[in-house]
Amino acid sequence: MKHDCIFCRIIRGEIPSRKVYEDDDILAFHDINPATPVHFLIIPKVHVENLYDADMGHQAVLGKILGMAGELARQQGLDDGFRTVINTGRVGRQEVYHLHLHVLGGPDPLNLGLKGA
Ligand code: 5GP
Ligand code: ZN
Protein backbone atom coordinates (compact mmCIF):
# COMPACT_ATOMS: atom_id res chain seq x y z
CA MET A 1 0.00 0.00 0.00
CA LYS A 2 1.32 3.43 -0.98
CA HIS A 3 1.68 5.87 1.87
CA ASP A 4 2.11 9.60 1.58
CA CYS A 5 4.07 9.98 4.77
CA ILE A 6 7.31 11.91 4.43
CA PHE A 7 9.56 8.93 5.16
CA CYS A 8 7.70 6.71 2.66
CA ARG A 9 8.32 9.47 0.12
CA ILE A 10 12.01 9.48 1.02
CA ILE A 11 12.08 5.68 0.55
CA ARG A 12 10.54 6.11 -2.92
CA GLY A 13 13.08 8.80 -3.79
CA GLU A 14 10.38 11.48 -4.15
CA ILE A 15 12.12 13.54 -1.47
CA PRO A 16 15.93 13.63 -1.51
CA SER A 17 17.92 12.45 1.47
CA ARG A 18 21.56 11.91 2.37
CA LYS A 19 21.64 8.15 2.37
CA VAL A 20 23.72 6.19 4.88
CA TYR A 21 22.61 2.68 3.96
CA GLU A 22 19.86 0.88 2.07
CA ASP A 23 18.77 -2.68 1.48
CA ASP A 24 15.48 -4.39 0.68
CA ASP A 25 14.13 -3.94 4.20
CA ILE A 26 15.57 -0.77 5.73
CA LEU A 27 16.88 2.68 4.85
CA ALA A 28 19.26 4.86 6.87
CA PHE A 29 19.72 8.56 6.14
CA HIS A 30 21.02 11.68 7.85
CA ASP A 31 18.51 13.72 9.85
CA ILE A 32 17.72 17.02 8.12
CA ASN A 33 17.97 18.86 11.44
CA PRO A 34 20.77 17.10 13.32
CA ALA A 35 20.69 17.31 17.11
CA THR A 36 24.30 16.14 17.34
CA PRO A 37 27.32 16.21 14.98
CA VAL A 38 26.30 12.79 13.65
CA HIS A 39 22.56 12.13 13.62
CA PHE A 40 20.97 9.65 11.29
CA LEU A 41 17.73 7.70 11.22
CA ILE A 42 17.17 4.03 10.44
CA ILE A 43 13.69 3.19 9.20
CA PRO A 44 11.82 0.11 7.99
CA LYS A 45 10.75 0.29 4.35
CA VAL A 46 7.36 -1.01 5.37
CA HIS A 47 5.17 1.77 6.75
CA VAL A 48 4.68 1.26 10.50
CA GLU A 49 3.61 4.32 12.47
CA ASN A 50 5.46 3.64 15.68
CA LEU A 51 6.06 1.04 18.37
CA TYR A 52 2.35 1.10 19.25
CA ASP A 53 1.58 -0.22 15.78
CA ALA A 54 4.50 -2.62 15.59
CA ASP A 55 3.81 -6.25 16.38
CA MET A 56 5.62 -9.57 16.15
CA GLY A 57 5.15 -9.46 12.38
CA HIS A 58 7.77 -6.69 12.41
CA GLN A 59 10.24 -8.66 14.49
CA ALA A 60 12.68 -9.32 11.65
CA VAL A 61 12.86 -5.76 10.36
CA LEU A 62 13.07 -4.28 13.86
CA GLY A 63 15.86 -6.72 14.65
CA LYS A 64 17.65 -5.70 11.48
CA ILE A 65 17.44 -2.02 12.41
CA LEU A 66 19.07 -2.68 15.78
CA GLY A 67 21.45 -5.21 14.30
CA MET A 68 22.76 -2.70 11.75
CA ALA A 69 22.99 0.30 14.10
CA GLY A 70 26.48 -0.39 15.40
CA GLU A 71 28.01 -1.08 12.02
CA LEU A 72 26.47 2.04 10.49
CA ALA A 73 27.48 4.16 13.48
CA ARG A 74 31.09 2.99 13.10
CA GLN A 75 30.96 3.78 9.39
CA GLN A 76 29.88 7.31 10.33
CA GLY A 77 32.88 7.67 12.63
CA LEU A 78 31.15 6.94 15.92
CA ASP A 79 33.79 4.70 17.47
CA ASP A 80 33.32 5.86 21.06
CA GLY A 81 29.64 5.15 21.55
CA PHE A 82 26.34 6.63 20.50
CA ARG A 83 22.78 7.13 21.72
CA THR A 84 19.71 5.55 20.19
CA VAL A 85 16.17 6.89 20.56
CA ILE A 86 12.73 5.81 19.32
CA ASN A 87 10.01 8.37 19.98
CA THR A 88 6.44 7.08 20.18
CA GLY A 89 3.28 9.17 20.09
CA ARG A 90 2.51 12.50 21.70
CA VAL A 91 4.22 11.87 25.00
CA GLY A 92 7.23 10.51 23.13
CA ARG A 93 7.26 13.74 21.08
CA GLN A 94 7.05 11.82 17.84
CA GLU A 95 6.92 14.20 14.88
CA VAL A 96 7.06 11.84 11.92
CA TYR A 97 4.64 8.94 12.15
CA HIS A 98 6.81 6.34 10.40
CA LEU A 99 8.80 4.35 12.93
CA HIS A 100 12.45 5.40 13.08
CA LEU A 101 15.50 4.80 15.22
CA HIS A 102 17.59 7.91 15.90
CA VAL A 103 21.35 7.27 16.05
CA LEU A 104 23.08 10.20 17.75
CA GLY A 105 26.74 10.77 18.37
CA GLY A 106 29.73 12.88 17.69
CA PRO A 107 33.02 13.97 19.10
CA ASP A 108 31.58 16.16 21.86
CA PRO A 109 30.22 13.99 24.67
CA LEU A 110 28.38 16.99 26.19
CA ASN A 111 26.52 17.61 22.99
CA LEU A 112 24.33 14.54 23.06
CA GLY A 113 21.24 16.44 24.12
CA LEU A 114 17.77 15.52 22.99
CA LYS A 115 14.80 17.79 22.56
CA GLY A 116 13.71 19.00 25.95
CA ALA A 117 16.22 16.81 27.78
P1 5GP B 1 10.71 12.31 15.74
O1 5GP B 1 10.48 13.51 16.61
O2 5GP B 1 9.47 11.93 14.96
O3 5GP B 1 11.31 11.15 16.49
O4 5GP B 1 11.84 12.73 14.73
C1 5GP B 1 11.63 13.00 13.37
C2 5GP B 1 12.97 13.42 12.80
O5 5GP B 1 12.86 13.45 11.39
C3 5GP B 1 13.42 14.81 13.25
O6 5GP B 1 14.69 14.70 13.90
C4 5GP B 1 13.49 15.60 11.95
O7 5GP B 1 14.58 16.50 11.91
C5 5GP B 1 13.62 14.52 10.90
N1 5GP B 1 13.03 14.89 9.61
C6 5GP B 1 11.79 15.41 9.40
N2 5GP B 1 11.59 15.60 8.08
C7 5GP B 1 12.71 15.17 7.46
C8 5GP B 1 13.10 15.12 6.07
O8 5GP B 1 12.37 15.51 5.15
N3 5GP B 1 14.34 14.63 5.79
C9 5GP B 1 15.18 14.19 6.79
N4 5GP B 1 16.39 13.72 6.39
N5 5GP B 1 14.85 14.23 8.09
C10 5GP B 1 13.63 14.71 8.42
ZN1 ZN C 1 5.65 5.87 5.93
Side-chain angles (χ1 to χ4, degrees), residues 1-12 43-49 96-99:
M1 188 172 145
K2 188 173 168 178
H3 283 270
D4 276 335
C5 98
I6 195 161
F7 286 177
C8 281
R9 297 188 66 197
I10 285 175
I11 290 165
R12 292 198 296 268
I43 69 174
K45 285 196 168 175
V46 63
H47 179 86
V48 189
E49 280 206 351
V96 177
Y97 278 73
H98 181 129
L99 197 155

Side-chain angles (χ1 to χ4, degrees), residues 7 29-33 87 93 95-96 100 102 115:
F7 286 177
F29 55 97
H30 291 281
D31 196 291
I32 203 167
N33 184 22
N87 295 322
R93 301 188 190 198
E95 288 173 4
V96 177
H100 49 281
H102 293 260
K115 289 174 297 188

Side-chain angles (χ1 to χ4, degrees), residues 5-116:
C5 98
I6 195 161
F7 286 177
C8 281
R9 297 188 66 197
I10 285 175
I11 290 165
R12 292 198 296 268
E14 295 168 8
I15 296 174
S17 68
R18 287 174 54 223
K19 199 180 293 182
V20 169
Y21 172 80
E22 179 170 19
D23 65 24
D24 286 346
D25 307 308
I26 67 173
L27 174 69
F29 55 97
H30 291 281
D31 196 291
I32 203 167
N33 184 22
T36 51
V38 177
H39 181 181
F40 63 91
L41 308 172
I42 313 179
I43 69 174
K45 285 196 168 175
V46 63
H47 179 86
V48 189
E49 280 206 351
N50 54 34
L51 288 180
Y52 276 138
D53 277 8
D55 58 31
M56 292 309 291
H58 303 104
Q59 184 177 18
V61 73
L62 293 176
K64 192 172 202 177
I65 286 170
L66 287 181
M68 288 298 298
E71 182 181 333
L72 298 181
R74 269 205 202 87
Q75 282 174 16
Q76 295 302 314
L78 305 182
D79 50 15
D80 196 25
F82 56 93
R83 181 176 287 182
T84 44
V85 174
I86 300 176
N87 295 322
T88 302
R90 182 186 66 82
V91 169
R93 301 188 190 198
Q94 183 175 6
E95 288 173 4
V96 177
Y97 278 73
H98 181 129
L99 197 155
H100 49 281
L101 178 78
H102 293 260
V103 178
L104 300 133
D108 180 355
L110 295 176
N111 192 22
L112 274 175
L114 300 170
K115 289 174 297 188

